[in-house]
Amino acid sequence: MASTADIRNGLCIKFNHDIYKIVEFLHVKPGKGPAFVRTKLKSLTNGKVLDNTFSAGHKIDVVRVETHTFQFLYAEGTEFHFMNNETFEQISLNRDVLDAPDLLKEGTNVMVQINTETDAPLAVDMPASVVLEVTYAEPGVKGNTATNATKPATVETGATVNVPLFINEGDKIKIDTATGSYMERVKE
């Protein structure tokens, strides 16, 4: 058993008869009253996110996990297929378990957290950013903007990302997987 002092991003815990991953947390010490930890938890079984507040010193049940590198092979409906880079064993996960399934390109390496008690995959950690090619973007018109204008662009995985007006079809762009937002254009 651990306490609220051990809470960190990415920690997997048992809570309300389910397994949750801590997405965000904030330790709050008000001027009056006891301290508490405000958390945002994501269910690893159905993908739902809920907010919860733990009082300071509250005991939490931590799930032991191992992290392995897997390569994304292909998507088939709502099932995404991955291969372990060490053992070449293949697993399939539901789309709801993934944080940013629309930004996943075939051949991308991801970190999969596996429950050591049941050997069941729990969560997939995407790389911090991905580089994807723009397949469709409206042409940007000069002079019709005041500041920081963006336009929607479709990338090779089918996701739509807001990009600056100077991005054209065929450009490669770096996308932040946590927010799904444009970071920069990549020159090759």
Side-chain angles (χ1 to χ4, degrees):
M1 290 292 257
S3 72
T4 53
D6 301 314
I7 288 180
R8 64 184 186 284
N9 287 342
L11 182 71
C12 294
I13 63 171
K14 285 182 186 171
F15 180 70
N16 283 355
H17 310 294
D18 200 358
I19 297 178
Y20 289 88
K21 178 179 172 183
I22 296 176
V23 181
E24 289 178 18
F25 75 97
L26 177 67
H27 187 273
V28 180
K29 176 68 176 101
K32 190 174 186 180
F36 56 90
V37 180
R38 191 174 291 136
T39 60
K40 187 175 282 189
L41 306 170
K42 180 177 181 181
S43 171
L44 298 180
T45 55
N46 58 25
K48 291 182 180 174
V49 178
L50 64 97
D51 294 321
N52 189 54
T53 303
F54 295 102
S55 58
H58 185 273
K59 298 292 183 205
I60 54 175
D61 195 4
V62 177
V63 177
R64 287 184 31 93
V65 295
E66 289 180 352
T67 304
H68 296 284
T69 305
F70 279 73
Q71 183 181 35
F72 173 58
L73 298 175
Y74 61 95
E76 187 176 49
T78 60
E79 293 295 312
F80 283 66
H81 298 271
F82 297 88
M83 177 184 67
N84 188 323
N85 286 355
E86 296 153 12
T87 63
F88 304 109
E89 167 193 352
Q90 292 188 19
I91 61 169
S92 64
L93 298 172
N94 195 325
R95 179 184 182 91
D96 297 336
V97 176
L98 305 170
D99 292 332
D102 294 340
L103 299 177
L104 207 51
K105 180 180 170 184
E106 292 176 2
T108 303
N109 284 332
V110 296
M111 303 302 285
V112 177
Q113 295 177 347
I114 297 175
N115 187 341
T116 55
E117 297 169 12
T118 62
D119 286 333
L122 294 176
V124 177
D125 291 331
M126 296 273 293
S129 62
V130 292
V131 176
L132 298 172
E133 186 176 334
V134 176
T135 56
Y136 176 76
E138 294 280 336
V141 180
K142 281 188 176 182
N144 65 352
T145 63
T147 56
N148 294 343
T150 60
K151 62 182 179 182
T154 306
V155 294
E156 60 187 299
T157 60
T160 303
V161 180
N162 284 332
V163 298
L165 294 179
F166 60 82
I167 299 294
N168 299 312
E169 288 182 25
D171 288 350
K172 290 195 182 294
I173 59 173
K174 186 185 275 190
I175 302 169
D176 182 0
T177 56
T179 60
S181 61
Y182 167 86
M183 291 173 72
E184 65 183 356
R185 178 166 50 178
V186 177
K187 295 282 188 191
E188 293 187 342

